[in-house]
Amino acid sequence: MAAGPGRPLTAGLRGERGRLLVSIAQLLPALVYFALFYVGPLLVLVYISFLSFRNFQFVEPLTFNNYVNVLTSETFRILFTRTVALSILSAVLAVGLAYPFAYIVTFVFPSRSRSLYFLILVALFGGYLVRIYAWRTILGVEGVINGTLMTLGVIEEPIREILNGPFAVVVSMVNFLVPLAVLPIYAAMQNVSPGLIEAARDLGSSRLQITRRVILPLVLPGVLVAFAFCFIAAAGDFAIPALLGGVESPFIGNQIQFQIGQTSNWPLAAAMATTLIALVVLIVAGVTLVARRVIR
Amino acid sequence: MQDRERKDVVREYFEARLAQPVGRRGFLRLTSGLVVATASGGFLAACSSGGGATTAPTAAPSAAPTAAPTAAPSVDISGATIEFIGLDGEDAANIASAKAWRDERGITLNSKYIGTGDEIFAALTAGQQFDIAISFNPYVNRYATAGLIQPLDTSRLTNWADMYDGLKNSKFLNPDGKPYGSPIAWGDGPVVFNPAKVPAGEVPTSISALYDKKWAKRLTMSNDPAWLFFLTARMLGYSNAPFLTKDELAKVAERADEFVTQNVVSFAATYADATDLLVRGEVDLSLLGWEAMLNFAKEKGGTLDFGFLSEGKGGWSDSFCIPTNVVDIDAAYAYMDAIISPQINADVAVALVSGAVNKKSVALIPAESNIYDYANVESPQDGVFDDYLAPETSDDPNIATRAEWADAWGKITA
């Protein structure tokens, strides 16, 4: 129904069709942005992954050779396995640390929740590379840990293995990921009514039972989002493995960087990247499915 | 100049510069790898080492050198804008003599700074237009083969004849017999070490010495197989390196695997990263080396020294190249000629801690900054630029290509 004299402009937007149009209009800017800056480049990446690389040129015809290489190479299998394993470990540890922190902020010290929440936000203010180099200072042969242990007489020689290995990679990643994990879990806990917890307590539930049967099912979406954030961020990282992992802990991202930066073989790098994306999506979906079945 | 005297000159040079700030150029050399690592993931491989120098094919030096220190372009370029892509500092944006040259002609320099040769490759491939693009010596052939840069008309460079033969007639610059760029700076690719951890009597002079178990977990290098494979091939007696057969590559990779697993602690992303590892005591020696690291270390309170390995010469050289889609070719040639003119190139050498490319520049470099041995660039045959990159393709199916070197390295580092 068109607007006219005496009729409000929005008269035509009432009803189901009108609501649909309003929803689309509200989503349109975000959809355009998403299409231009995510879907578009992703499609270009996928297209490049089907090209070949000869004499510094990307050539057609389109081929599956790069994917065959990625899926059958022992080298890439080792890299993907290490990447997934250390990323899952880092994500689980980050969520494991973030959950009790969010619980304490929400239910134990609710009056101080803003201050504690701000502490988490402050952790995100530090630069990413600055924090990686800080871990070098802490974990290095002349770092804080070795210096303290040697001063206390616990060791006579510095422990070199603290840095330049998977331990340093996981520690640094968890340090980076915990703030990312706290945010969605804390947000989910805001929807847990204290009345439910009181009722459960009145009915004789222990703290563990309250956590397992009342709180966790309600905050599960937030926990799964936290895991996804952490796992995706960790799986795509290459700076931490490069700067703290030594020669023993490269991720698939380091190999992607090598293929782009040293050999200019973008098609192979694109195939590795799209394979990683597919793998990450499968793992996140799998974890979500299992978690929803186990935690009800 | 004897190595010992040279090192004394270097120490005096860096001690004299101790109070001076690194400057924008040095800062960006320090942080270029960090910028790339955060932004998109490229690790600086620029200016690392090498190039090629075997028998010089042609060389076509052009017009006789003029007496004027700067070029007088035959075409009026007043008011032109020069679009540059390359490392910060190599555009001579902040070098007084170059700035004076630009101001005199009303020239505007519009620079895009990058961290790796691959970013230049990507920009040119995408069709971005520049008048001058920097190329690191291993990349010249790559850009030329991809049709991204054009061969030079050296008759338009009045200072070309005064350039050292070992640079202008080097194999890396003349992949098909024609020069594809004009070198503006060069270095000799030393190894750098911590003298507190490596006493004078233990300084290695060969890669075979570095294979010894006494170097276990004491080394760093860049995450690139080319230089290590080349040196190891020479150590194993493969004089045809880098043109290795597949069997030879397998043997080289096997030895290199032992080297990396046993002796290398971590891969350095940049010269600054290598300096950081040395000063912190994480490593005692870096295969990735540049004399400027001694200055970087001083600023961190550390002391470093440098040396050379006998199996190969890891020199580097960066060149001004003209892209095939150049906007203002006259301005490009004019600025190129200015940068390789005696005074400006001397100033560039001081600023970049590099060697000068113009023979007449050497006398203009202050004694404390004159740290390079120019015998390294007198001729292509005795030059410092070993051709250490594996061929991209080969007519002989038995010769291992660059992709196969990369595969072998991937197995080592996985």
Side-chain angles (χ1 to χ4, degrees), chain B residues 373-411:
Chain B
D373 184 356
Y374 286 86
N376 285 322
V377 289
E378 288 284 356
S379 73
Q381 290 84 354
D382 300 321
V384 73
F385 310 109
D386 272 322
D387 181 10
Y388 65 93
L389 285 184
E392 193 65 27
T393 59
S394 176
D395 294 334
D396 183 348
N398 287 323
I399 296 297
T401 61
R402 196 148 182 261
E404 285 162 319
W405 281 41
D407 283 344
W409 185 246
K411 292 190 176 86

Side-chain angles (χ1 to χ4, degrees), chain B residues 351-363:
Chain B
L352 299 184
V353 195
S354 67
V357 302
N358 189 319
K359 295 173 192 170
K360 293 178 180 172
S361 299
V362 180

Side-chain angles (χ1 to χ4, degrees), chain B residues 72-372:
Chain B
S74 55
V75 177
D76 183 13
I77 58 167
S78 303
T81 296
I82 295 175
E83 302 287 343
F84 170 93
I85 181 169
L87 286 179
D88 185 11
E90 292 189 337
D91 56 352
N94 297 318
I95 292 177
S97 51
K99 189 171 181 306
W101 184 93
R102 294 194 304 271
D103 290 344
E104 195 180 320
R105 293 155 182 78
I107 299 236
T108 302
L109 182 62
N110 200 11
S111 299
K112 176 176 179 174
Y113 300 128
I114 50 77
T116 66
D118 182 67
E119 290 178 68
I120 300 177
F121 186 87
L124 296 178
T125 304
Q128 292 179 32
Q129 289 191 288
F130 298 94
D131 300 306
I132 292 172
I134 283 287
S135 176
F136 318 128
N137 50 303
Y139 282 77
V140 176
N141 182 34
R142 182 184 297 190
Y143 296 164
T145 305
L148 300 174
I149 57 176
Q150 54 182 284
L152 290 191
D153 175 3
T154 56
S155 67
R156 300 186 67 166
L157 298 172
T158 60
N159 294 293
W160 181 260
D162 292 327
M163 189 180 296
Y164 283 97
D165 260 359
L167 290 165
K168 66 182 179 185
N169 293 323
S170 60
K171 190 179 175 190
F172 75 80
L173 196 67
N174 300 266
D176 59 4
K178 298 185 289 290
Y180 277 83
S182 171
I184 62 159
W186 65 276
D188 48 16
V191 294
V192 176
F193 58 90
N194 184 343
K197 302 284 184 68
V198 185
E202 294 181 15
V203 175
T205 55
S206 69
I207 191 68
S208 56
L210 285 173
Y211 265 84
D212 193 283
K213 283 182 187 172
K214 73 176 183 182
W215 289 99
K217 298 301 180 190
R218 296 173 67 189
L219 306 180
T220 186
M221 55 179 286
S222 60
N223 186 2
D224 188 330
W227 189 229
L228 178 62
F229 280 13
F230 178 80
L231 291 175
T232 302
R234 286 273 182 92
M235 180 184 79
L236 294 175
Y238 302 143
S239 56
N240 50 326
F243 299 95
L244 302 176
T245 64
K246 295 182 200 299
D247 286 341
E248 288 171 343
L249 174 63
K251 292 189 174 74
V252 166
E254 190 182 338
R255 292 304 309 275
D257 191 1
E258 294 171 18
F259 182 88
V260 171
T261 305
Q262 176 182 276
N263 294 353
V264 178
V265 171
S266 68
F267 296 121
T270 63
Y271 292 111
D273 196 29
T275 305
D276 188 61
L277 291 170
L278 284 162
V279 170
R280 287 176 185 274
E282 300 295 335
V283 300
D284 297 338
L285 183 142
S286 171
L287 281 178
L288 175 67
W290 180 27
E291 281 82 349
M293 288 166 65
L294 276 65
N295 194 24
F296 302 160
K298 286 273 189 185
E299 290 160 9
K300 293 174 185 281
T303 302
L304 299 179
D305 204 345
F306 63 91
F308 298 92
L309 301 179
S310 60
E311 286 88 353
K313 295 175 180 176
W316 60 268
S317 179
D318 295 349
S319 302
F320 272 14
C321 303
I322 298 181
T324 45
N325 62 351
V326 59
V327 176
D328 190 337
I329 195 168
D330 298 319
Y333 270 110
Y335 197 53
M336 186 183 289
D337 202 22
I339 294 298
I340 63 173
S341 61
Q343 184 60 59
I344 295 179
N345 197 247
D347 295 340
V348 167
V350 171
L352 299 184
V353 195
S354 67
V357 302
N358 189 319
K359 295 173 192 170
K360 293 178 180 172
S361 299
V362 180
L364 300 174
I365 297 173
E368 65 273 15
S369 303
N370 214 337
I371 62 173
Y372 287 93

Side-chain angles (χ1 to χ4, degrees), chain A residues 69-89:
Chain A
N69 192 354
V70 169
L71 294 172
T72 59
S73 162
E74 175 71 9
T75 300
F76 297 145
R77 186 192 64 77
I78 292 172
L79 288 170
F80 275 116
T81 303
R82 180 186 299 123
T83 301
V84 167
L86 292 184
S87 300
I88 288 178
L89 176 62

Side-chain angles (χ1 to χ4, degrees), chain A residues 129 136 140 164 250 257 262 264, chain B residues 38 41 142 224 265 273 402 413:
Chain A
L129 275 181
R136 261 193 179 177
N164 297 315
Q257 181 277 322
Q262 304 297 339
S264 295
Chain B
T38 51
R142 182 184 297 190
D224 188 330
V265 171
D273 196 29
R402 196 148 182 261
T413 57

